[in-house]
Amino acid sequence: EQLVESGGGSVQTGGSLKLTCLLSGFKKTPFTLGWFRQAPGSEARGKERERVAAFWPGDGEKSYHGSVSGRATISLVNAGTTLVLQMNDLRTEDTAMYYCAAAVLPGRFTVWGRGTQVTVSS
């Protein structure tokens, strides 16, 4: 089971980015898929990764962190092999390493990608 993120980069405030996460090796579609982020220095301050968005393929339910609500869209495409996070109107506070994660069964996210860096400058 593997997750590989791509699509990060450097943009100016107000710009957009499309992050993608390629799923491979899963015997069935995970129960939950999500995008998390870790801002620079936050791990050293003891802050855990922040869940940006989550998607439940079983019923299509989606949830978003309040800070990205209305600016982000999570979707699962390409026959369930690619998780997408479209982010618009990016802000400097969106700067972080973004991680894709999967919870194969209900509960904890147990499979993680290596991350893709998003940097937003004014």
Side-chain angles (χ1 to χ4, degrees):
E1 297 167 337
Q2 189 176 19
L3 302 172
V4 179
E5 305 93 335
S6 62
S10 297
V11 296
Q12 292 190 321
T13 53
S16 298
L17 280 175
K18 180 180 178 180
L19 307 183
T20 61
C21 172
L22 184 63
L23 285 69
S24 63
F26 290 89
K27 294 181 180 178
K28 63 177 184 178
T29 303
F31 183 80
T32 316
L33 291 162
W35 284 98
F36 290 73
R37 67 186 178 188
Q38 186 105 51
S42 63
E43 188 174 9
R45 295 194 301 270
K47 189 173 180 181
E48 293 185 349
R49 293 175 183 178
E50 175 180 82
R51 196 177 82 184
V52 178
F55 176 64
W56 287 264
D59 60 7
E61 192 71 20
K62 301 177 182 181
S63 73
Y64 298 94
H65 190 276
S67 66
V68 303
S69 183
R71 301 189 294 122
T73 302
I74 188 171
S75 58
L76 186 63
V77 300
N78 295 339
T81 63
T82 306
L83 184 70
V84 177
L85 181 69
Q86 176 70 45
M87 294 194 68
N88 302 317
D89 190 23
L90 284 161
R91 306 168 182 172
T92 55
E93 54 264 39
D94 293 319
T95 295
M97 183 70 80
Y98 284 71
Y99 299 90
C100 176
V104 178
L105 298 173
R108 293 188 308 118
F109 286 89
T110 55
V111 184
W112 292 84
R114 291 191 170 188
T116 186
Q117 178 67 39
V118 171
T119 302
V120 185
S121 58
S122 58

